[in-house]
Amino acid sequence: MSLFISLTLNGEARDVSIDDPRVTLLDLLRERLALPGTKKGCDRGQCGACTVLVNGRRANACLMLAAGLDGAQITTIEGLARGEDLHPVQAAFIEHDGFQCGYCTPGQIMSAVGLIAEGDAGSDPERIREGMSGNICRCGAYHGITLAVQEASRRMAAKEEGDAA
Amino acid sequence: MSDTLSPQIRFGSNAGQPATRRDGLAKVTGVATFAADNTPEGLLYAVYAPAKIARGRVSHLDVAAAEAHPGVTHVITPQNRPELQGDPSAKPTMFSFRTEVLQDDTVCYAGQPIALVLGETLEAATEGARLLAPQYVADPVRVALDDNLATSFEPAGFGLPGGASHGDVEAGHAAATRSIDVSYETAAQYHNAMETHAIVAQWDGDRLTLDTPSQALNLSCAGFAYFFGIPPENVTLRSPYIGGGFGSKAIPTGPQVLAILAARMTQRPVKLMFTRQQMFGPVGHRGATRQRLRLGVDENTALTVIDHEGLAETSTFDDFVEPAANASQDLYAAGALRASHRLVRLDVGTPGPMRGPGEASGSAALECAMDEMAEVAGMDPLEFRLRNYAETQPGTGLPYSSKALRECYAEGAARFGWEGRPLEPRQMQGADGLLTGWGMGTALFPCPMFAAEARATLRPDGTALFETSAVDMGQGAWTVLAQIAADSLGLTLDQVEFRAGHSALPDGGVAGGSGHTATAGGALHAAGGDVLRQLGELATEDPQSPLYGAGNSSLVARDGWLLLEEDESRRERFADILIRAGQTEMTGTGHGGRAPEAAGRHAMNSHGAVFAEVKVDPDLCQVRVTRLVGAFAAGRIINPRLTESQLMGGMIWGTSFALHEAARHDRRSGRIVNADFAGYHVPVNADVSGLEVITVHEDDPYVNALGIKGVGEIGIVGTVGAIGNAIWHATGKRVRHFPIRIADLLAP
């Protein structure tokens, strides 16, 4: 059996053949589309390592069947930086040491980008902690993650204001 | 021949700087390649079926159903498993256990591999494994310490802790005017690195290439090679990034061996990635413990005795001791000490080292017992610890190589605001109505060193290449070891290329025991020193060199120059020395390790003091850790930024130990019923606030040439007890097991 879906993947239009209806978005990215930056941590939506943006919102790629995503816009960690220019969240994660082993990091960063876009947390640390709590970091880099999201959020808000002015 | 002492190596240019991670860019952009990210051409996927009983045997597997599933290519069971060349019951390396590789149909623990299914896709192999629908003949299981207590035994054998004692323990008990006799329990915990164990195996003739996370690359090569009858050098192991290890990735596991076997059998690359549920089984865990602590003090509140008996679980087929009583051996000055261990065989996977092995569990009990003793003595817990401060190693009288624990107590207490803490519990209630409690604990972790080798190559352009098969599992080896390497040649960080994480490099040793930076760093330091020694010899023996005739030991290296220390106008560029000698590059080698005689002269430990504040809802009994201040003295700190992260991570592990983590068994099947992140709780971001780390300065001239003690594990030690004690202080309830849950505080 074979099935085709159209995706906008990291800004690029892609026609993707799905070889098996059981394939999740996560395994599509990792095993079939050579985009292993998105990580598998639990495969059942409990850890957040596979967080990507689907139509601009945070989603656990392990919980989505690829076949159901025809027409979706997907952004993964590989699609975040603009060439050499890091996304402000990526830069802030390095500066604030918001990771250790780096395995949950793509998910943390995508989740942070989604959280900032949702606009509910701002730079309030309590709300950031709550909003980032779907992403487990076993190394315990939470202190740095919170600081990084705070700073990126501030920087992006300032830039938006600057752009609007 | 000039003076052969190495030129002096200067610190301070790179060591001590809070450099950001050199692997940071790769990690935030998603290009850092972890083992399972590799998908070579022609790949087969392997999925193993785990046993769903803990004891008995597999009586039937529906192999035909699995084989009939589209995409399934092979089903490997004990009936048709190709032969292995090594005996899975043997221990080919110092880090190995009996390996479960489908020897027979016996089941010794839930989660043990009972079959391996190969498929063209992950989906096919996964479904094939499910279709096996195993049937069992099950025997009654023993999964709690009490289930098999009658057969408990004293562990004996290579690598097992024998315990320790000094003084007259019975006299110590008799001399006590006040004493306590308490028993604490700690739950079984599973490492659960975010990256599950994974392997991609590829054969080329009798040469094997592995992508698999390993905390000890060359040791793992030897371990894997053994099973396949090939020399270790035929195995190439790539492990550039490890998604967390915590002790679970030093030891080859059965499923990894089976994946390699499958690759050899099919002559295709094979990828196997553990599911999260499979992380509760064949990859080790922190064994549950029960610890009896009997402490006594005399009329001066001096400890007359510490009597620490640890009981721990192991599997039915191998011995690993969670050496909890070790925690009592070096910490407090007691007239007499007995630290002993016993084991109970249970139907569980073999436990193994997990972050802070021994000290984490042991300190949890010891620090709470110390708090109880202080309470009985009517003394402030910190004052009680200072009263029993060990100025030299208890028992041996050996001096400590360095010990700034008193400063840790002072700085931590000041930062936390410990002074004025009421002695009695339930004295602090905030405006929010929450019960507030303050507790503290002492942290200690030893400073073991293993062995490591490194190579340094100075290039004619003044840059240098440093190589060792060291591993970065998050602790920061890519950065910290490069800092040490750069300093060894007086270069800046960006003049150094650092290669690690590959088994073809000089053996970087084991990333464990908080000893990797000291050991691999020591090897790099020595390799750089070897280059300088050679450069110095060339220069000082060459009449054309401005350094001609100078003693080698009075030379220093800085910014690509070799200089005479007392007259820096006499200097020569590395490159010029090389060129004149007709050399295109210069290679040095170095060894890292500790001389046995050094270990006999000093007791060596990292120390720390952790202060915790908890708030407890008086009605709901929900516990929140609202502040956690840790002050640690761990010798030379190479990178303060990454050190703070390591220590904070450890303290979060301590919080997890105190409040969250416990594997729970179904008493009938023996299965772990909470084997995933929904049921097995670890802290999330919202659980962590008010975390502060202080590093206390410590110069240690004895621990090793670099003065490094290691920070990977000590953060967890002390924290558990501090939180337990804070909960008592808030509520007046002394819960004598971990984790402490709401139900424990709700109970009347």
Side-chain angles (χ1 to χ4, degrees):
Chain A
M1 85 130 259
S2 179
L3 161 89
F4 288 90
I5 59 169
S6 298
L7 294 175
T8 306
L9 184 54
N10 293 330
E12 189 190 327
R14 297 277 292 263
D15 289 323
V16 177
S17 155
I18 310 282
D19 58 295
D20 187 320
R22 296 169 297 195
V23 174
T24 62
L25 173 57
L26 178 58
D27 291 326
L28 177 73
L29 294 169
R30 289 183 54 80
E31 308 298 336
R32 290 159 174 87
L33 299 181
L35 289 171
T38 305
K39 296 293 181 267
K40 183 180 284 189
C42 71
D43 218 16
R44 50 172 68 177
Q46 296 167 347
C47 79
C50 65
T51 305
V52 296
L53 300 182
V54 176
N55 299 324
R57 295 189 63 82
R58 305 186 264 177
N60 288 323
C62 71
L63 293 184
M64 307 193 94
L65 288 174
L69 288 168
D70 191 30
Q73 291 194 25
I74 314 281
T75 308
T76 72
I77 190 71
E78 289 95 340
L80 211 53
R82 299 266 172 274
E84 298 277 287
D85 291 335
L86 292 181
H87 186 282
V89 172
Q90 291 172 311
F93 264 68
I94 293 178
E95 182 56 33
H96 291 279
D97 211 32
F99 55 93
Q100 292 180 29
C101 79
Y103 194 81
C104 73
T105 311
Q108 299 278 0
I109 288 175
M110 296 314 293
S111 190
V113 172
L115 177 72
I116 292 169
E118 285 157 30
D120 298 330
S123 55
D124 174 11
E126 277 306 310
R127 284 170 174 251
I128 289 171
R129 285 186 197 113
E130 197 62 40
M132 291 298 292
S133 282
N135 293 81
I136 294 176
C137 169
R138 183 58 158 161
C139 297
Y142 294 128
H143 179 76
I145 290 170
T146 303
L147 292 178
V149 178
Q150 242 182 325
E151 184 183 320
S153 179
R154 269 196 226 109
R155 229 189 277 166
M156 289 167 73
K159 185 171 186 303
E160 243 170 61
E161 266 173 38
D163 289 350
Chain B
M1 184 73 197
S2 60
D3 187 348
T4 52
L5 279 173
S6 284
Q8 293 171 39
I9 290 172
R10 299 164 67 100
F11 284 101
S13 32
N14 295 294
Q17 299 303 314
T20 54
R21 288 175 196 267
R22 292 187 114 200
D23 49 345
L25 191 65
K27 284 177 175 175
V28 302
T29 53
V31 304
T33 308
F34 294 84
D37 298 347
N38 293 285
T39 305
E41 201 66 31
L43 187 66
L44 278 176
Y45 291 84
V47 171
Y48 76 85
K52 298 193 172 174
I53 62 163
R55 186 175 173 218
R57 61 181 197 84
V58 180
S59 58
H60 183 256
L61 290 169
D62 196 347
V63 173
E67 283 176 342
H69 188 71
V72 169
T73 59
H74 302 81
V75 176
I76 304 175
T77 71
Q79 271 71 51
N80 67 347
R81 190 205 72 187
E83 201 180 330
L84 286 166
Q85 281 63 52
D87 171 9
S89 296
K91 294 175 188 289
T93 72
M94 68 189 237
F95 278 120
S96 46
F97 291 109
R98 178 186 178 272
T99 312
E100 303 87 66
V101 282
L102 308 178
Q103 288 95 318
D104 52 41
D105 61 6
T106 313
V107 175
C108 298
Y109 62 95
Q112 178 187 319
I114 56 172
L116 188 78
V117 177
L118 306 180
E120 296 289 350
T121 66
L122 177 60
E123 292 73 18
T126 303
E127 182 64 5
R130 195 189 68 80
L131 288 167
L132 288 171
Q135 293 170 22
Y136 305 94
V137 177
D139 293 324
V141 298
R142 301 142 313 174
V143 288
L145 291 173
D146 284 325
D147 293 348
N148 204 15
L149 202 53
T151 63
S152 77
F153 62 100
E154 215 170 290
F158 175 74
L160 298 174
S165 71
H166 66 77
D168 185 334
V169 173
E170 297 317 319
H173 283 300
T177 56
R178 286 150 295 174
S179 59
I180 59 162
D181 179 352
V182 292
S183 184
Y184 278 82
E185 296 204 4
T186 64
Q189 303 175 353
Y190 284 75
H191 306 77
N192 276 300
M194 292 310 297
E195 177 203 34
T196 61
H197 286 53
I199 190 166
V200 177
Q202 309 181 61
W203 287 90
D204 179 6
D206 64 350
R207 305 193 76 85
L208 174 63
T209 301
L210 302 176
D211 294 291
T212 195
S214 170
Q215 293 179 234
L217 270 69
N218 299 72
L219 209 56
S220 293
C221 287
F224 287 125
Y226 164 78
F227 287 101
F228 299 95
I230 56 174
E233 56 271 23
N234 279 23
V235 182
T236 301
L237 197 158
R238 300 181 292 212
S239 188
Y241 301 102
I242 302 181
F246 314 117
S248 72
K249 288 173 179 166
I251 299 159
T253 66
Q256 288 168 301
V257 175
L258 289 173
I260 299 169
L261 184 64
R264 192 179 67 179
M265 183 182 98
T266 60
Q267 289 297 302
R268 288 175 65 175
V270 168
K271 183 194 294 198
L272 182 145
M273 187 180 196
F274 284 53
T275 65
R276 179 56 53 190
Q277 293 70 32
Q278 289 172 344
M279 293 297 284
F280 295 77
V283 302
H285 66 284
R286 193 197 301 281
T289 72
R290 177 179 298 157
Q291 302 170 54
R292 184 181 183 194
L293 272 139
R294 284 177 286 168
L295 307 183
V297 295
D298 63 18
E299 61 282 357
N300 297 318
T301 333
L303 282 164
T304 58
V305 65
I306 297 177
D307 197 351
H308 192 162
E309 298 169 56
L311 180 72
E313 67 182 31
T314 190
S315 66
T316 55
F317 51 89
D318 212 336
D319 294 349
F320 179 85
V321 185
E322 182 63 34
N326 281 5
S328 288
Q329 290 180 14
D330 259 9
L331 191 46
Y332 298 112
L337 167 104
R338 177 164 54 200
S340 63
H341 298 106
R342 288 186 78 76
L343 279 179
V344 175
R345 293 210 183 281
L346 298 180
D347 303 310
V348 298
T350 306
M354 178 162 153
R355 198 174 193 177
E359 276 73 14
S361 304
S363 155
L366 172 67
E367 290 306 309
C368 289
M370 285 293 284
D371 214 60
E372 295 203 57
M373 193 69 249
E375 183 198 349
V376 168
M379 202 172 195
D380 173 79
L382 174 54
E383 198 188 333
F384 178 55
R385 285 167 173 84
L386 285 166
R387 176 73 188 78
N388 290 285
Y389 194 87
E391 302 291 352
T392 57
Q393 187 181 42
T396 68
L398 281 179
Y400 290 104
S401 60
S402 63
K403 181 175 179 178
L405 175 57
R406 202 171 261 118
E407 292 79 358
C408 293
Y409 285 138
E411 291 191 31
R415 180 65 144 268
F416 184 83
W418 180 261
E419 206 176 289
R421 170 188 174 276
L423 273 188
E424 297 295 314
R426 281 187 90 97
Q427 299 299 306
M428 302 194 295
Q429 197 157 12
D432 48 12
L434 300 176
L435 300 169
T436 301
W438 292 353
M440 56 89 53
T442 312
L444 177 147
F445 200 78
C447 309
M449 287 181 77
F450 303 100
E453 313 299 326
R455 184 166 55 227
T457 306
L458 181 66
R459 295 158 164 164
D461 63 358
T463 66
L465 168 67
F466 280 85
E467 299 168 292
T468 180
S469 71
V471 292
D472 194 326
M473 51 183 170
Q475 83 280 33
W478 277 121
T479 311
V480 172
L481 292 180
Q483 288 179 272
I484 293 170
D487 274 352
S488 75
L489 284 178
L491 298 176
T492 59
L493 202 47
D494 58 10
Q495 290 172 311
V496 164
E497 183 187 343
F498 178 51
R499 291 186 192 152
H502 193 295
S503 65
L505 301 171
D507 186 350
V510 181
S514 295
H516 197 41
T517 305
T519 312
L524 291 160
H525 173 86
D530 190 31
V531 168
L532 289 189
R533 182 187 56 76
Q534 297 175 57
L535 278 177
E537 280 178 14
L538 283 179
T540 57
E541 290 171 11
D542 182 348
Q544 292 180 53
S545 169
L547 296 168
Y548 176 65
N552 208 352
S553 63
S554 58
L555 300 179
V556 293
R558 194 165 65 236
D559 303 330
W561 295 81
L562 206 55
L563 313 95
L564 190 61
E565 201 186 16
E566 60 264 31
D567 176 8
E568 293 199 351
S569 68
R570 284 182 68 188
R571 58 177 195 168
E572 190 167 28
R573 277 186 193 282
F574 294 168
D576 294 335
I577 301 172
L578 282 184
I579 289 163
R580 210 177 40 249
Q583 298 192 14
T584 52
E585 58 180 36
M586 179 172 281
T587 299
T589 57
H591 171 77
R594 180 177 290 140
E597 59 271 20
R601 282 194 292 263
H602 292 93
M604 302 175 189
N605 299 299
S606 297
H607 296 91
V610 182
F611 297 83
E613 176 184 88
V614 301
K615 295 200 178 206
V616 183
D617 185 301
D619 301 315
L620 303 175
C621 293
Q622 188 191 35
V623 178
R624 307 282 298 175
V625 177
T626 46
R627 285 196 298 138
L628 210 47
V629 175
F632 300 95
R636 184 193 302 279
I637 300 303
I638 302 297
N639 185 319
R641 184 193 306 263
L642 307 197
T643 294
E644 182 184 83
S645 292
Q646 276 280 282
L647 292 169
M648 282 189 173
M651 289 161 72
I652 291 171
W653 271 60
T655 306
S656 194
F657 193 125
L659 300 177
H660 297 276
E661 284 181 57
R664 306 288 191 200
H665 291 269
D666 173 46
R667 301 300 303 274
R668 287 161 301 177
S669 68
R671 281 173 73 185
I672 295 172
V673 294
N674 60 340
D676 61 27
F677 278 138
Y680 185 87
H681 290 180
V682 298
V684 297
N685 204 320
D687 293 312
V688 175
S689 60
L691 211 53
E692 276 189 76
V693 162
I694 300 164
T695 45
V696 173
H697 182 82
E698 207 171 51
D699 281 319
D700 194 324
Y702 306 112
V703 67
N704 49 56
L706 298 163
I708 295 170
K709 288 182 166 180
V711 292
E713 300 173 88
I714 191 163
I716 181 172
V717 187
T719 303
V720 189
I723 293 172
N725 294 335
I727 290 173
W728 169 78
H729 193 239
T731 64
K733 281 217 170 94
R734 185 61 76 175
V735 180
R736 294 197 182 88
H737 61 244
F738 292 103
I740 298 173
R741 294 272 175 81
I742 289 174
D744 303 314
L745 299 172
L746 277 172

